[in-house]
Structure formats: structure tokens, C-alpha cells
Amino acid sequence: MGRRNAVLFVCGVMVAAVAGGARPVTSAAGQAQSAPSSRLARHFPNVPLRTQDNRDVRFYDDLVKGKVVLINFMFTTCTSLCPRSTANLVKVQELLGDHADRDVFLVSISVDPDHDTPAVLKRYAERYHTRPGWTFVTGKREDVDLIRRGLGVRDNDDQSQHTGMLIYGNEAFGRWASTPVMQSPATLAAIVLRVVDPRANGG
Amino acid sequence: MVTRRDLLKMGILGSSGFVTLPSGGGFGRVSRFFDHNNQGSSPRLTPFVDELPGTGNSPFQTLTNVDPFSNVQDYAQPFCGPRTHYYEIAVVERNVKFHRDLPPTSVWAYVDKWGGNIPDRLITFQYPKIRLGQQIGGGYLARVHNFLTTAPRDFGFPNVTVHFHGGHQPSPADGFPHDISNRPSSFPAQVTIPVGGFHDYAYPFADVGIFDGPIEEAERPSTYWFHDHFLDFTGQNVYRGLANIAPAFDELDAGDETASDTLALPSGAHDIPLVLMDKTFDISGTMVFDPFNGDGFLGDTMTVNGVVQPYCRVQRRKYRFRFLNGSNARLYQIFATNDLRQTFPMTQIATEGGLLGHPIRNLQSFSLFMSERVEVVVDFADRIFDGQQVVYFENRMAQSDGRKPDGVSSRGTKLVKFIIDPATVDDPSRVPDTLRPFAPISAAELNASEHRSFRFDRRHGVFTINGEPVDIEKPVSIVQRNKGQVWTFSNNSGGWWHPNHVHSEFMRVLRRNGRTPPLNELDGNAKKDTILLKGGDKVVVYVKFRDYPGPFVTHCHNLEHEDMAMMGRFDVVD
Ligand SMILES: [Cu+2]
């Protein structure tokens, strides 16, 4: 079976087999698009937050835009899942190696913002020896709720119901998914690294 | 014939809610998606202006047979022989039309690599007539190329892995979701397909028990489908278009209604696949999705075979309709109706595990949960259709939340319109009272089986199996090959419904909530690859993994639940 390279595109639809035998589909063009459209923007309310270093940031502009980011919800007085999940993410951050703070960032958002002041978050981060590239944030409760709902975290019971999933994504490429925080750190690191460079081959 | 022992020696096998609308018009509206995302709803489209793809002037292509490959991947070589047919499928991004009045919109689709002028529809080809009961060295070898772009997109992940759903195939051909580290030595390091890569899928179409026996000829499906299965992104990729249907045949169900030594079910142009999917389009006609909806994405526009509410011309005779629920999260309750909201009876002949032992006649409606297949025969020549010029399949299941449906309402959304030609025609087809009879699993076999429980729950916003979140590197179960399994699935999260799918082998449904299951899933009449767990349900099934060792998965077929890790890996070992 002959294979030829010449392939024409019209409106993204393959035109092939013009004459003399079948030409294979080798690729096909979709709609040209340089960045994910504003359709995803509604998921990232650009609300003001404050970091554990008392820095004022905007959720979208400063923590998400153009980044690969791992996002979880936590609160420092949580005694059930949060301590284990934070400890697990510390190991994930180690496994991210050079990616951490270079092209992969962690954001932990307190769902108990009234209690979790920047100073409290700072002590919490220090207790777990988190490394650069991991931002703990607090803010107005309604702003945190906006983020939570934007990211689809909306179980209605107590706030610990918001703490089990890790949302990960590559904002520049529009790839977003989530996965349980409490998997082995190696599995988690492998899963999230898939979205770091979508141009690279390899699953 | 290559035996299982040969394969072992060769190191191949492991040693180890919509608001209802007036009749005739419109589609379901108001999904949870819009409540939370203020995207507005799809453009209002005139229904029944496009012909149903796969019928009439809108035929499917037949996948092109190609020369054998000289470089078949290692694991697949023992399954290839002189009778193997080779195909090449391309995964491409293309713009297709879902409706006359919608502009072409970007989808990811499976196309025939050698298909030439491919129609600008979502579903464009069918496998050539699949024949079951092959010896090893027959069957199909499908090479799937990933020609997607890595450019930014609103949703979807451009790595793919193809699950041939309902199929009994080697583990490396099963579309495992992830390239795992913790794997048997015979399992390839890479089974997912990156952009620019390909994977060889060996589909032996051999009977269950081919290696060690006994051969179980009753374990033959009749309608497969195949779809993407990439970890955490399955819902996005399937919604984006990576799904297609694949009917299968054998000497009994031969696809020839004129062959009187077969069942002679309606065949050819009278055997019609119906893939149901719900989509949402924005104001510009672009297909959109919400990657942050973990409850289950509901589209507001109904499509059949990739076209919004199509029409189909039929004759006064019997038709076989192969329903597939290809939706991410929508459950259907299907009625045959007319413009006066009268309903018409149907005869169910098959489900995932192939033909039923005996048909279920006078069915007024049937439910169809995600990934489920239900095949029905409708006889438009029956007296009850006298005077009817137009009949619809209509979905009357209301659903406003991806977690579970609201319930069956008195009117719903018409999915596809049949225009009945009044002329009288010959109809050689039949629906015999016995289709593919088989005995229920024996008490002796059940007594010798291993018992396991899988309790599905939700904790800290995470789906759990037996109390723990899953990890694709860690099997939730190690299963002895050829050892009967009695598995109890219970759904403790009452607000959520979960259709649970088991790969590789069919389940026999033994008990549902302590009672005898209904005929459409009861062992002895039906075999299932997916069972519905409504809130609080407890279902006991029998399953036995013969032939193929290696990692497989069982998971919820609400694709958003699956992507939220409601999926457990099990490893079949020797
Ligand atoms: Cu589910």
C-alpha cells in the first residue's frame, strides 16, 4: 500500500485520495488556537488571597496563570486527613525534583480562613518543612468558596469533605484533572508530571 | 494453533433535569453544568433535519484492510497468524458537523487511516463484520496511531489508550489507563499512545477458555464499543469524540436474515447501531465541556451516532436496534413513542454479554445506564403501528445532576425520528423464542469460588473502595486465573449512582439487594459487563478470569467518577 505525504486540509477536514490510490491520514488540523480559550477562566476567580509570607496575591494572576499547578484544600486544625495529605505532598514535592518551584507549583488553600491566618499557615508550612514553590493561602471565606466551587469541589458536608482530592493542571495548555491526595507519592508524582510538558512524548 | 502454554514459553503471557418540551421539538435543558458555570445553553436546533449516520445516504465507511505489518509489537505477535486481519485507525483532531445549522466544531475522533474522503461526522466507520469464535492466529490486529496535536485545548489530554469494551483480549491490548511501573515482566512499559506514537491492539475474537478449556461458546458478545481510557482524562477524551461501536457476529447470529439455519435476526440495513451521547455547544456552536465537574457532565443536546436528533427512513418490517449509552453521566429510559405520546412495545434480544437466552417481549421501555448496551427488535409491520407514519425513540429519564437521575417523567426528549414508508415489504427476519441459551453458573462452581467484597463509598470528597482511595500502581485485588469469583459490590454513597464495569470477562448477576435480579440481567438469561449500583444497592456477581493474565481495571462508568479515581486495578495471575 503506497504512502504519500501530501495531505491537504480544508477547514480541518481531510481531503485525500484525489487520484491514484489512497493516501493515509497522517494528521488533521483542528481549529487553530494558541491558548485555552477564556472558557476556562470562570473556573479560576481572580480573587485576592494572602500567602503564608503575608504576601498579597491574586488567585488566577499569581498562582495559576501560565503554570503547572497542584491545588488542594486543607485547614491547619484538621486532625483527620490533612496532616497525612500534607505529609504525602511533601514527599511528592521531593519527587518532583527540579520541577518543583521551576515549572510545577503547589498551592494549598485553607477552607478555614478565619482561623488560618498567614502566621498560622507559616507555622504549619514550617512544621512540614515544605520547600519553595509551595504556597499556602488564606482569604475571605466567600472568596475561598468561589475558588472551591470554580474547581468543582462542592461536597456539602463538613469542610473535611473538601480535602481529599488534588487538582492538577497545566493552565497554558488547558489540561486539568484531579486525583486522590492519598496515593503513593511516586504514583502521584508520575501522574501530575504527565501534564508538565504536553509536547513531550511519553505517558 | 498456538496454545496458552506456547505463549507462556515465549514469555508473552505473564507467569504471574431537563425541562420537558412539547412533543416533536427541542431537547433537554438545564443541567447542573449551567447552574455552576453560567455558560448559557446550546443553540436551539431544529430536530430531525439530519439523516442518522450509518443509514440511508449517510453510510459508515468500512475500515480498510491493510497488508500485515512486519513490525507487530512483541506481545501481539503470538496472536497474529495467517487468518489475522490488519487495520489502521488514526486518532485525529477534526472539525465535524453535529447538525445542519451548527458550524463544524473540533472533535477528537477515530478514523480509518486509509479512509480517503472521510465524512464530516463524528462517527465515520465500522469494523468489517467481526466474526467470533476464532482460533488464535485469526482475529484482528488494529494499529492505532495518535495524530492529535499537543497544542493547547480547552479540555482533553492528547495521550490516548483504546479500550475495546466488552472484549476479551490480552491485557496489553485492553487499553490500560496508565503506563505503570509495578507491572508483570510481560506487560509493556508503554501501552498508552503519545502524540506521534502508535500501539498494536490484538483482538483475537477467540472464545473464552481457548487456552485451557472448556470453551464457553455462550460467552459471545454481540455489540462491542471502543473508547479512550486515559487515566484521569477518560471523560474529557471520550466526550471529545473518542468512542465508536462495533457489532459482532457468529454462525448463530450471522447477520444474515435470509439464512434459515441461523437465528435470522434482522440484518444488513435493518440492523442499526444507535450511539447515544449528550453534548453541549456554546453560542458559536463550539462543543464545550466542564473539566471541573466531578459529579458527571451532562450535555443539553442529544445526539445519536454523533448527530443531533437525526431522522431515519424505515420500512414496514422488523429492525434490530443496538443501543449504546456513550454518555459520560446521563442515564436514559427509552420508549418508542409517537407525536401523540403513545408508546409501542419492543423486544429486547441482547445486552453487553450478547444475545439473551430468551427474548424479553412486550417491553414498554428500558433503562440504559452509561456504557450499557441494549438491543431491541421493533416490528414496524406489527398491527400496533398501523396508520403510524412517524415513530421516535424518546428518553424520558429526567436528570439535572450528574450524580444520579431525577426519575422517569411522562414525556421526555425525542432522540431519533423514524419515518415509516407505508409500502408493504417482505421480511424474512425472525425473533425466535430461544436465542443463545445457557445455563446459570452451577452451585458446585459457586461453592468452589472465592468471595470478595467491594464497598464503594465517598470520604473527604474522594471515592473509596473498601475505605481506601485507589492507586493505579496498587491492585485492589490479585485474582487467580481460572478461579471462580463471587464478588459483592455495594454502593454506600446513597446520593450517587455508579454503573460498575469489569474488564476482560462478563459478569453473571446472582443477587440484587438480596433478591433475584430482573430478566435483563439475571444469570441464565443475560451476561453483563457493567452493572448499575443505585444508592444503597448491593449486587452479587460471579465472574471468572480465564485466558489472559495481567493488569485490568474495574471502574465506575460515570466517566467523571472514573476520572475522580473510582477505578480499581486488579491483576489476574497464574
Ligand atoms: Cu460513579
Side-chain angles (χ1 to χ4, degrees):
Chain A
M1 185 166 280
R3 285 155 209 242
R4 301 178 193 182
N5 291 327
V7 174
L8 302 170
F9 302 110
V10 176
C11 288
V13 178
M14 282 286 316
V15 177
V18 176
R23 299 168 190 219
V25 175
T26 53
S27 68
Q31 288 160 341
Q33 193 181 347
S34 59
S37 77
S38 56
R39 282 183 204 100
L40 290 179
R42 67 185 188 275
H43 294 290
F44 310 109
N46 200 22
V47 295
L49 298 167
R50 187 159 289 186
T51 74
Q52 79 268 36
D53 296 318
N54 230 347
R55 200 159 49 89
D56 286 323
V57 292
R58 291 271 174 176
F59 178 62
Y60 178 70
D61 285 348
D62 300 313
L63 300 178
V64 174
K65 189 179 178 184
K67 293 184 170 66
V68 174
V69 60
L70 320 183
I71 301 169
N72 79 321
F73 294 92
M74 47 70 70
F75 55 106
T76 60
T77 55
C78 161
T79 54
S80 55
L81 184 64
C82 309
R84 288 193 294 139
S85 57
T86 304
N88 208 43
L89 288 174
V90 167
K91 293 180 191 151
V92 172
Q93 196 187 22
E94 278 167 27
L95 290 171
L96 292 174
D98 289 346
H99 290 289
D101 201 30
R102 186 186 69 197
D103 50 14
V104 182
F105 300 87
L106 283 88
V107 176
S108 291
I109 303 171
S110 172
V111 288
D112 185 13
D114 301 333
H115 176 272
D116 289 341
T117 62
V120 171
L121 290 173
K122 178 97 175 161
R123 279 197 300 279
Y124 185 83
E126 283 171 358
R127 190 176 351 137
Y128 286 95
H129 307 289
T130 64
R131 300 197 301 173
W134 189 339
T135 309
F136 290 80
V137 291
T138 183
K140 280 198 257 173
R141 180 171 293 281
E142 55 266 35
D143 289 339
V144 168
D145 284 345
L146 272 180
I147 296 172
R148 193 166 56 69
R149 284 198 296 269
L151 299 180
V153 180
R154 47 179 184 250
D155 283 53
N156 291 322
D157 310 309
D158 63 298
Q159 56 200 15
S160 77
Q161 290 302 312
H162 304 138
T163 55
M165 294 298 278
L166 182 71
I167 295 150
Y168 65 98
N170 183 328
E171 198 275 337
F173 282 83
R175 318 256 203 271
W176 290 96
S178 57
T179 191
V181 177
M182 289 314 297
Q183 300 176 71
S184 80
T187 308
L188 262 186
I191 286 175
V192 301
L193 283 172
R194 299 179 309 175
V195 304
V196 170
D197 184 1
R199 285 161 299 196
N201 287 354
Chain B
M1 171 185 156
V2 181
T3 66
R4 198 170 172 284
R5 174 175 276 274
D6 293 334
L7 296 181
L8 278 166
K9 268 192 278 184
M10 293 150 90
I12 300 305
L13 296 183
S15 61
S16 53
F18 43 85
V19 175
T20 55
L21 294 166
S23 69
F27 30 76
R29 289 215 176 257
V30 188
S31 81
R32 192 177 183 85
F33 172 66
F34 299 115
D35 297 344
H36 288 269
N37 298 284
N38 309 313
Q39 266 288 281
S41 52
S42 296
R44 199 181 172 103
L45 299 166
T46 308
F48 318 125
V49 296
D50 295 279
E51 188 165 26
L52 177 70
T55 65
N57 296 316
S58 193
F60 292 133
Q61 298 182 321
T62 302
L63 196 51
T64 305
N65 217 313
V66 299
D67 294 338
F69 309 125
S70 59
N71 59 342
V72 170
Q73 285 168 359
D74 288 350
Y75 93 85
Q77 284 175 14
F79 299 100
C80 295
R83 293 177 314 284
T84 300
H85 291 269
Y86 294 78
Y87 302 98
E88 284 188 280
I89 291 171
V91 177
V92 296
E93 177 167 72
R94 55 200 309 267
N95 291 340
V96 304
K97 279 178 75 69
F98 280 93
H99 184 274
R100 181 193 69 189
D101 299 333
L102 283 175
T105 186
S106 168
V107 300
W108 293 352
Y110 300 118
V111 298
D112 181 359
K113 184 167 183 254
W114 300 93
N117 263 320
I118 298 166
D120 62 347
R121 294 297 193 193
L122 180 65
I123 298 175
T124 56
F125 73 86
Q126 295 263 281
Y127 271 99
K129 202 169 192 178
I130 292 169
R131 280 274 175 181
L132 301 177
Q134 303 272 321
Q135 295 298 311
I136 297 298
Y140 290 177
L141 191 286
R143 175 165 290 183
V144 178
H145 300 264
N146 181 350
F147 293 144
L148 293 176
T149 170
T150 56
R153 290 293 177 262
D154 289 342
F155 60 92
F157 195 92
N159 261 43
V160 297
T161 177
V162 185
H163 176 51
F164 202 76
H165 188 129
H168 179 63
Q169 55 256 346
S171 162
D174 195 57
F176 200 77
H178 184 65
D179 294 327
I180 43 177
S181 313
N182 171 26
R183 60 178 191 271
S185 57
S186 56
F187 192 79
Q190 186 159 31
V191 291
T192 74
I193 317 173
V195 171
F198 68 84
H199 187 71
D200 288 340
Y201 291 90
Y203 302 132
F205 299 128
D207 281 322
V208 168
I210 186 82
F211 297 114
D212 306 313
I215 297 259
E216 305 271 6
E217 283 187 8
E219 299 279 323
R220 291 182 181 172
S222 48
T223 302
Y224 299 103
W225 66 300
F226 51 105
H227 60 83
D228 193 60
H229 216 303
F230 194 70
L231 187 72
D232 295 355
F233 289 89
T234 294
Q236 306 185 27
N237 287 0
V238 170
Y239 179 86
R240 196 139 198 153
L242 295 179
N244 197 348
I245 192 168
F249 302 90
D250 69 350
E251 62 277 5
L252 180 67
D253 181 16
D256 181 357
E257 62 192 21
T258 65
S260 56
D261 56 339
T262 72
L263 290 176
L265 293 162
S267 69
H270 316 106
D271 176 358
I272 298 177
L274 298 171
V275 182
L276 310 185
M277 295 187 281
D278 49 337
K279 305 288 185 191
T280 298
F281 304 92
D282 72 4
I283 195 75
S284 72
T286 301
M287 188 173 76
V288 294
F289 185 76
D290 176 4
F292 294 96
N293 181 341
D295 296 344
F297 182 88
L298 298 174
D300 65 357
T301 302
M302 298 301 159
T303 70
V304 184
N305 294 353
V307 162
V308 175
Q309 293 172 292
Y311 71 84
C312 175
R313 296 187 188 282
V314 293
Q315 298 172 307
R316 294 202 54 160
R317 51 155 295 154
K318 288 188 280 303
Y319 279 79
R320 176 181 188 165
F321 295 105
R322 300 172 190 254
F323 280 86
L324 158 66
N325 182 340
S327 287
N328 285 30
R330 186 175 290 283
L331 292 95
Y332 297 79
Q333 186 79 27
I334 303 294
F335 292 75
T337 65
N338 66 4
D339 283 320
L340 300 173
R341 295 169 57 202
Q342 293 170 309
T343 63
F344 301 92
M346 302 169 274
T347 300
Q348 184 179 351
I349 57 167
T351 186
E352 296 97 89
L355 293 173
L356 302 175
H358 306 280
I360 302 172
R361 298 190 193 269
N362 278 312
L363 200 60
Q364 291 306 310
S365 77
F366 59 90
S367 62
L368 193 72
F369 51 77
M370 293 77 84
S371 96
E372 194 177 23
R373 277 87 76 209
V374 168
E375 297 181 35
V376 297
V377 171
V378 174
D379 187 357
F380 294 114
D382 190 289
R383 280 198 321 258
I384 199 161
F385 286 102
D386 281 355
Q388 303 295 328
Q389 289 154 8
V390 167
V391 171
Y392 306 89
F393 282 130
E394 177 176 330
N395 173 34
R396 291 187 177 176
M397 184 71 87
Q399 190 170 10
S400 55
D401 186 329
R403 297 179 184 192
K404 65 180 170 77
D406 306 331
V408 179
S409 64
S410 60
R411 58 170 79 180
T413 303
K414 294 179 170 65
L415 303 173
V416 53
K417 173 183 186 175
F418 296 100
I419 303 162
I420 304 173
D421 183 336
T424 303
V425 295
D426 282 343
D427 182 359
S429 71
R430 309 181 298 232
V431 183
D433 286 332
T434 297
L435 297 170
R436 196 188 297 279
F438 60 97
I441 300 302
S442 70
E445 173 67 21
L446 291 175
N447 284 336
S449 294
E450 209 172 357
H451 290 243
R452 299 189 192 204
S453 294
F454 299 87
R455 185 168 39 83
F456 300 111
D457 214 333
R458 192 170 162 90
R459 212 165 151 238
H460 303 302
V462 178
F463 294 117
T464 57
I465 299 180
N466 296 332
E468 292 296 324
V470 298
D471 182 327
I472 196 71
E473 295 283 356
K474 296 178 186 164
V476 293
S477 220
I478 306 279
V479 186
Q480 195 67 38
R481 193 175 66 85
N482 266 332
K483 173 98 180 156
Q485 304 289 318
V486 173
W487 285 1
T488 300
F489 298 115
S490 47
N491 173 13
N492 289 19
S493 44
W496 303 73
W497 286 21
H498 303 300
N500 191 57
H501 172 40
V502 174
H503 285 215
S504 191
E505 292 264 7
F506 293 124
M507 292 176 276
R508 304 292 189 94
V509 184
L510 306 175
R511 305 291 283 171
R512 175 173 282 279
N513 297 326
R515 299 208 182 89
T516 303
L519 276 176
N520 62 1
E521 66 175 4
L522 175 67
D523 181 25
N525 199 48
K527 300 164 286 245
K528 299 290 284 180
D529 69 28
T530 310
I531 50 144
L532 181 60
L533 298 170
K534 299 191 284 288
D537 273 1
K538 183 176 196 172
V539 178
V540 184
V541 304
Y542 166 91
V543 62
K544 183 150 82 175
F545 300 96
R546 293 155 280 205
D547 303 323
Y548 301 117
F552 292 94
V553 287
T554 174
H555 62 89
C556 179
H557 229 286
N558 176 315
L559 298 183
E560 280 65 63
H561 300 181
E562 174 188 344
D563 285 336
M564 300 279 281
M566 192 168 177
M567 174 163 68
R569 161 184 170 186
F570 63 93
D571 286 16
V572 178
V573 300
D574 272 301

